[in-house]
Amino acid sequence: MNRALELLHSVFGFQSFRAPQEDIITTLVAGGDALVLMPTGGGKSLCYQIPALVRKGCGVVISPLIALMQDQVQALQQLGVRAAFLNSTLDASTVRQIETALARGELDLLYLAPERLKQQRTRELLQNSNIALFAIDEAHCVSQWGHDFRADYLELGILHQLFPDVPRIALTATADVRTRNEIITRLDLGSARQFIAGFDRPNICYRITLKENPRQQLLRFLKTEYPHAAGIIYCLSRQKTEETSTWLQGEGFNALPYHAGLDARKRADHQARFQREEGLIMVATIAFGMGIDKPDVRFVAHLDMPKTIESYYQETGRAGRDGAPATAWLLYGLQDVIKLRQMMAESEGSDEHKRAEQHRLNAMLGLCEITSCRRQSLLRYFGDDMAQPCGNCDTCLEPVSTWDGTEAARMALSVVFRTGQRFGVSHLIEVLRGAETDKVFQFDHHHLAVYGVGNALDNNQWRSVFRQLVARNFLSVDIDRFGALKLEEKCRALLRGEETIALRRDEKTKPLKKTSTRKTLVSEAPFDSDPLLWEALRECRLQLAEEQKVPPYVIFHNSSLEDMCRLMPQNLSACGEVSGVGERKKEKYGPAFLDVLKSFLGHRETVAD
Ligand code: ADP
Ligand code: ZN
């Protein structure tokens, strides 16, 4: 373990291992297999990179994300690790060079596309080389039920037969038990030690807001909180991603669309730009996901509600991989619920399948409507219990008030019943509020006992009541009649007066108080850096990145720059104290950053004189 710790300091520039990393590394170094389930940003890469350096031979990493191999390899080379990749993007002579290096024992890590393992040539190459371990990244790709299934992953079971003595580690961030079991069976990992970390992403602040005027809400969010940050905005339809990105460009943001309807070249180009540029916003459908490894995505916004908590967790999980504060921001409203319920009812599939989907949608709605801590509820869904409210979600930061909605709910249910369960929300509200519309007269609804009884609440308040009744399954949406509401079994007790109901008070949305966002920022990065110094350090990083044609975070993550502001190193050896600065980077980049720090101090003294 000493050797592992030494490498952590000297190569990666980190102080200590995170809890599970140490055990995983010990297991592999000793030749054992491991199954690792750790949330995004948890630090999975070190779990195989360090054992690969400690053990004799080359670590072979199987990864489906061809687009990312180059970045990962570049990042390792920056640290002085002898890394390379083999995939279909290379020409024959480069391939031969790498193969030779591997056979000669001149590589520490080799990233390999899974389809390569089918080739006899690759198998022979590996058999003639000294292999330290196999790491199977994104191991959930072996699951035929998941949306990331890769047929080539099924072949990976053979590794164990071909290389019985080489330890294997399978890694994933996918949470559910079924996928986990499938990984074990298909990859023949029955005797592997399992490392199942919790699912919490403490640096992500979860915020769910009622949809009022989505564009204005989004604009306010971006302008007040993330004017220059990289982020992803998810929309349900392709058209909406295009419209939203064009509109954001008009508002002065650097935004691009991404969806499966764009031609492959454009898609790849947009993804590459997102990966490489700073502060780019990707407006995307769920087609954008796999293969995004950008550590400094500061926010993930949803303009439409995801269908399940699994998708919500996975999509929001792309924020804040670097561990710095990030925001998951979701807008939802009654129309989302109606639209999703309709899509689901119209989808193909057995009744059983539809019921399961319905159930998952209800859980997602529950998360939106909840008045207690979002994180507790999110984690509970995955079977993780969190003792205390988190203090880093909207309901914790600004507690929601509730009101006794029993009377209003009864009126709402009874207007649904009296009008024959054939009408949508707008008309129902008009009846309750005694509106004199053509439709009211046409159907004779002004003669109903419920006509005009609901004047105490305004239109928005009524929409809120109906939304919550639908979300909580007192009402359902009839798909055969465009959004007509119907009573559900569950509403009986409420109608009979045997039950009361507390409803969420929908406040007009305001940006989270500056103090509260600030509080979370401060707890993550306990310092106040000078904005001038910060910009100067980023500029220095950008220049170095451009010279070498790598993304800026490959030079240093933000956390390293933050550490520089805090520690203000004045010489090379002090530079080595900065998190993320190992031996190689200290020598290579230390002087340039020291210059920036020195000239900043000089400048500050002149100003002080
Ligand atoms: P994952 O693959 O699990 O999403 P990564 O391996 O990319 O996560 O690690 C996430 C971030 O955490 C990276 O910026 C990485 O450098 C950092 N990190 C990982 N382990 C440590 C550690 N022991 N100390 C400090 N930072 C770490
Ligand atoms: Zn909370």
Side-chain angles (χ1 to χ4, degrees), residues 204-205 207 218 221-223 225-234 248 253-254 274 279-283 296-302 315-316 318-320 324-329:
I204 298 182
C205 178
R207 286 158 58 186
L218 178 64
F221 170 67
L222 294 177
K223 285 196 164 155
E225 300 184 50
Y226 292 107
H228 308 292
I232 306 172
I233 299 174
Y234 280 111
L248 279 175
F253 288 92
N254 193 3
F274 181 71
L280 189 81
I281 297 176
M282 192 68 100
V283 189
D296 55 354
V297 175
R298 290 275 67 85
F299 67 88
V300 169
H302 281 92
E315 284 149 27
T316 54
R318 291 169 187 141
T327 302
W329 188 84

Side-chain angles (χ1 to χ4, degrees), residues 306-552:
K307 277 185 233 166
T308 65
I309 291 188
E310 284 89 346
S311 329
Y312 174 71
Y313 177 78
Q314 194 172 48
E315 284 149 27
T316 54
R318 291 169 187 141
R321 295 186 67 137
D322 54 8
T327 302
W329 188 84
L330 162 68
L331 285 185
Y332 92 110
L334 181 57
Q335 282 315 311
D336 288 294
V337 183
I338 294 178
K339 200 147 92 196
L340 286 176
R341 290 235 159 113
Q342 274 175 345
M343 276 169 57
M344 238 162 239
E346 286 161 5
S347 74
E348 321 239 305
S350 64
D351 283 353
E352 190 195 354
H353 177 73
K354 283 184 187 172
R355 262 198 305 278
E357 285 206 312
Q358 197 62 255
H359 185 75
R360 302 207 289 174
L361 174 60
N362 288 345
M364 183 64 219
L365 281 170
L367 181 67
C368 292
E369 294 289 355
I370 203 168
T371 51
S372 54
C373 174
R374 306 263 191 218
R375 191 182 313 272
Q376 277 183 317
S377 164
L378 189 62
L379 294 179
R380 199 175 311 123
Y381 183 80
F382 293 116
D384 254 11
D385 271 321
M386 190 177 185
Q388 296 295 321
C390 75
N392 192 26
C393 71
D394 56 352
T395 46
C396 280
L397 291 168
E398 304 220 327
V400 203
S401 60
T402 58
W403 57 291
D404 180 358
T406 312
E407 195 54 42
R410 261 189 227 137
M411 286 182 193
L413 296 175
S414 95
V415 75
V416 171
F417 181 68
R418 303 267 168 209
T419 53
Q421 313 191 58
R422 295 162 38 207
F423 295 90
V425 182
S426 305
H427 180 68
L428 296 172
I429 293 177
E430 276 164 358
V431 175
L432 282 173
R433 293 186 29 84
E436 300 179 347
T437 64
D438 291 348
K439 202 164 169 181
V440 165
F441 296 127
Q442 182 193 342
F443 291 98
D444 234 8
H445 286 163
H446 54 301
H447 288 133
L448 296 176
V450 287
Y451 182 71
V453 297
N455 265 319
L457 301 185
D458 69 18
N459 191 42
N460 282 336
Q461 289 167 320
W462 275 120
R463 291 195 84 84
S464 164
V465 172
F466 278 104
R467 188 195 76 238
Q468 297 184 59
L469 289 173
V470 172
R472 286 155 74 165
N473 250 341
F474 290 94
L475 290 173
S476 62
V477 181
D478 188 342
I479 42 126
D480 295 329
R481 302 171 195 259
F482 296 91
L485 297 184
K486 291 199 307 190
L487 300 181
E488 282 294 309
E489 195 53 33
K490 193 178 166 190
C491 69
R492 277 177 198 275
L494 196 55
L495 277 173
R496 280 202 297 257
E498 295 162 4
E499 214 176 62
T500 60
I501 183 170
L503 294 178
R504 189 187 169 91
R505 196 182 297 280
D506 291 334
E507 309 281 358
K508 271 263 169 234
T509 44
K510 40 186 174 356
L512 273 192
K513 275 190 228 125
K514 261 284 167 252
T515 49
S516 54
T517 28
R518 193 62 209 156
K519 201 161 61 199
T520 63
L521 278 174
V522 167
S523 73
E524 290 296 326
F527 76 100
D528 265 318
S529 73
D530 188 302
L532 280 177
L533 174 60
W534 178 247
E535 278 313 308
L537 291 172
R538 285 187 48 199
E539 184 57 38
C540 176
R541 174 175 69 177
L542 192 62
Q543 258 181 24
L544 292 167
E546 279 173 357
E547 276 164 28
Q548 303 186 53
K549 301 194 171 44
V550 296

